Amino acid sequence: MGGFGSGRGQGGKDTTSNMRPLDVRRLQRDGLLAPGRAFGWHWSRNGEEVASVQMRTEVDRVTLNYRSRSYGGEWQAMEYPVRLEWTPCSYGGARAWFRCPAQGCGRRVAKLYLGSAIFACRHCHQLAYECQRETDDDRAARRADTIRKRLGWEAGILNGEGDKPKGMHWRTFGRLKAEHDAYVRTSLAGMAQRFGLMKW
Ligand SMILES: [Zn+2]
């Protein structure tokens, strides 16, 4: 049985490709935005339902109701309104928009995407993605620091090397030091590249 994330591609810039899109134009086209409507929407992959949301429509909002679970966590009931906005079309009628419900956003958008917990516009998901992303050299520096801590050395790869801790086998020390040095090289190379200081 395929899991939620089975077969999804990694890499690429489109951070919303693994998310569940909710398109207000589609809802409008299907006549689902009339006040007082209540309906369900689901997403499936290979014929199997992978996510669903219940919606209730009022004049200026649609209330979403669903359960979400972040990786390995408990299922959590989610319920909150998303504002609807209507703009006149040049040939009569009105076009519906969502206002992104993410804190501090409120952008007028046609599509919201369900990430791990909430529906938000792609700008919000992109921001969240970039904050979480750690560069290779950040990671290498952090790993080097983990080893430095184990060796009792001062944190920070630019602080030089210390001695072998008392009671540690030379062989263990040699292995840790080799790992440490490799991380330091990766980190310095990454920093040099990012800031354009020098070539390694
Ligand atoms: Zn947003």
Side-chain angles (χ1 to χ4, degrees):
M1 195 174 84
F4 263 51
S6 62
R8 69 187 186 191
Q10 290 293 328
K13 277 196 165 173
D14 186 7
T15 55
T16 56
S17 59
N18 300 324
M19 299 181 184
R20 324 284 171 216
L22 190 60
D23 190 336
V24 77
R25 293 165 298 193
R26 176 76 193 278
L27 300 182
Q28 185 176 18
R29 204 158 52 230
D30 291 358
L32 297 170
L33 295 180
R37 293 292 305 257
F39 54 95
W41 196 263
H42 73 268
W43 295 266
S44 52
R45 174 174 294 154
N46 305 325
E48 236 182 295
E49 182 174 307
V50 291
S52 70
V53 55
Q54 298 297 314
M55 287 180 265
R56 289 195 316 272
T57 317
E58 290 165 67
V59 177
D60 60 347
R61 75 192 64 186
V62 51
T63 299
L64 307 179
N65 190 320
Y66 60 95
R67 296 195 310 155
S68 86
R69 180 167 70 165
S70 46
Y71 302 101
E74 292 287 305
W75 284 99
Q76 224 185 336
M78 306 290 286
E79 181 169 355
Y80 52 86
V82 173
R83 273 180 57 197
L84 289 174
E85 203 160 286
W86 301 87
T87 55
C89 296
S90 31
Y91 300 105
R95 194 191 149 171
W97 300 88
F98 288 130
R99 282 281 188 183
C100 173
Q103 197 171 24
C105 182
R107 273 188 182 82
R108 195 164 73 184
V109 292
K111 279 187 183 182
L112 293 175
Y113 300 86
L114 177 60
S116 59
I118 68 159
F119 282 91
C121 73
R122 69 188 170 80
H123 305 277
C124 289
H125 284 303
Q126 180 71 30
L127 279 180
Y129 170 77
E130 286 181 354
C131 291
Q132 283 160 14
R133 193 174 55 176
E134 196 181 24
T135 61
D136 287 346
D137 48 302
D138 288 336
R139 196 177 308 116
R142 197 164 44 76
R143 286 183 177 158
D145 261 342
T146 303
I147 295 175
R148 295 179 72 86
K149 196 171 169 189
R150 212 172 140 190
L151 294 172
W153 296 0
E154 193 183 346
I157 58 169
L158 300 178
N159 286 324
E161 296 175 7
D163 299 322
K164 183 183 81 67
K166 282 199 188 97
M168 181 179 278
H169 290 294
W170 276 104
R171 186 194 272 180
T172 309
F173 177 67
R175 181 174 55 76
L176 288 174
K177 188 177 174 315
E179 271 179 52
H180 169 267
D181 292 349
Y183 288 135
V184 169
R185 279 193 299 275
T186 304
S187 178
L188 292 179
M191 278 195 269
Q193 207 172 26
R194 265 196 304 162
F195 301 116
L197 293 177
M198 52 180 134
K199 290 270 192 291
W200 285 68

